[in-house]
Amino acid sequence: MAKVTITQVKSIIDRPKNQKLTIKALGLGKISKSVSVEFTPQIAGMVKKVHNLVDVKEQ
């Protein structure tokens, strides 16, 4: 699987609870925080759920 870098670009204030929990599960929580993870189907689903709050780049 390919590795990707996921960066939070927007705040989770006034977002639905499921989006807040998904951001936390990805290891994010503050704007400009990044994590590098394997791009599995589970991660793809999480990114799809919060696509408007994050930026995804392949490594």
Side-chain angles (χ1 to χ4, degrees), residues 4 9 13 16 18 21 35 37 43-44 46 54 56:
V4 294
V9 294
I13 295 174
N18 63 346
L21 294 174
V35 293
V37 294
I43 296 296
M46 294 168 89
V54 298
V56 180

Side-chain angles (χ1 to χ4, degrees), residues 2-58:
K3 287 198 74 131
V4 294
T5 301
I6 304 170
T7 305
Q8 184 176 344
V9 294
K10 289 191 177 180
S11 174
I12 59 173
I13 295 174
D14 290 337
R15 299 292 175 183
K17 186 175 181 178
N18 63 346
Q19 285 187 344
K20 290 180 182 183
L21 294 174
T22 303
I23 288 288
K24 296 290 183 188
L26 285 169
L28 302 172
K30 293 186 177 184
I31 296 175
S32 298
K33 187 169 182 181
S34 297
V35 293
S36 294
V37 294
E38 291 287 331
F39 198 64
T40 62
Q42 294 83 4
I43 296 296
M46 294 168 89
V47 167
K48 185 176 179 182
K49 186 170 276 195
V50 294
H51 66 92
N52 56 326
L53 304 176
V54 298
D55 184 34
V56 180
K57 293 184 181 174
E58 287 191 37

